Amino acid sequence: MSFIDLRNVTVTFPDGTVGLDGVDLDVREQEFVALIGPSGSGKTTLLRTIAGFVQPSEGQVRIDARDLTHVPPEKRGMGMVFQQHAVWPHMSVAGNVEYPLKRAGVEKRERAERVERALRLVGLDGFGARKPASLSGGQRQRVALARAIIADPSVLLLDEALSALDEPLRDSLRRELVSLTRREGLTTVHVTHDRSEALSIADRVVVLIDARVQQVADPATLVRYPASPEVAAFIADAALLDAVREGDRISCPSLGLSWPVSEVQVVGAPSNTLRLAVLPTAVEVLPAGTPDAAAATVASVLYDAGNFSVTVETESGDRFRATVTGARPEIGEAVGLRIHRPLAYPV
């Protein structure tokens, strides 16, 4: 049974803007789920709807089999951490962390014990007497995290909680966060704009585009088998091209290339009109003039862990990402382009 269960959740704001459009989502107990999508896709609206800060116009929000659709945020038993640290500067670290327990009327001795434990969990053991102004940004975010988990929430909600931090601090806290949620058995929903972060830390990733859930999958499945051209473009920087099926071949007029149907991964029902998604892993960059290769020019080059991430542009203006090994390509250099096993979606 799902721990978080959203059914046909629609959010329409007073100005008529649709924030969510018929969203269905299941999150399992102790699962770590990341919400990702372009700006304005609805990911923060979805998180705030789970939290109770946004009321759905239609649909139902259930947590642990309880209907919480119209229950206020403070009665949902959730912890939430925002992008900005949101710690109170006039309080000590311990005062910040114990605040939810103080409001709940928890006895002083128990508060002190639970504050000590929460600070230890987030790596701030011994920091209780300090003021937030004396802490680094990462330490203040840990304080916010300790405050979110001190009341033993059923669900932890993270709204761009790591995005304000610089690397490598962000990477370090990301790793600690995943370990913490595993140890404490927390069901976690994390909004991020960072695709690599979502793929690296989540059990499953939810892709939202235009206020709708486009795909929910584990990271490996999402990258290898995107459900639509739009998901492929967003998640994997795939190039999108128009194509047609003619007999047993699929051709792309703008590139002047074609493939046997057996060498194309067709997603969905057969169709004669197709949209190709070309993942960077499907692109082979070759010397200029290579037979059966489309002519292209190197448009950009970035060093990437021993290889080079390049963007190449064809004469038709189509752009592709690819990885090149060996010598660094030069911007403006003429190259050839082959595409292996593109994804094809019916139009």
Side-chain angles (χ1 to χ4, degrees), residues 235-273:
I235 288 294
D237 294 316
L240 303 184
L241 306 160
D242 292 327
V244 293
R245 177 170 179 167
E246 299 168 327
D248 61 355
R249 296 191 70 84
I250 291 175
S251 61
C252 175
S254 67
L255 289 181
L257 297 178
S258 68
W259 306 264
V261 172
S262 61
E263 294 181 10
V264 175
Q265 184 176 318
V266 179
V267 182
S271 173
N272 290 331
T273 305

Side-chain angles (χ1 to χ4, degrees), residues 119-170:
L119 290 177
R120 188 167 57 250
L121 282 172
V122 300
L124 291 179
D125 193 17
F127 281 67
R130 292 180 54 175
K131 287 292 182 70
S134 70
L135 305 179
S136 68
Q139 289 170 332
R140 287 195 294 271
Q141 196 67 314
R142 292 168 194 260
V143 173
L145 181 58
R147 187 175 60 201
I149 66 175
I150 195 169
D152 297 324
S154 60
V155 174
L156 179 63
L157 304 176
L158 305 168
D159 188 7
E160 302 275 13
L162 306 178
S163 63
L165 305 177
D166 294 329
E167 296 286 3
L169 174 60
R170 181 175 177 179

Side-chain angles (χ1 to χ4, degrees), residues 299-316:
S300 70
V301 182
L302 297 176
Y303 180 77
D304 183 17
N307 299 315
F308 297 96
S309 174
V310 303
T311 302
V312 296
E313 184 172 351
T314 65
E315 295 172 347
S316 59

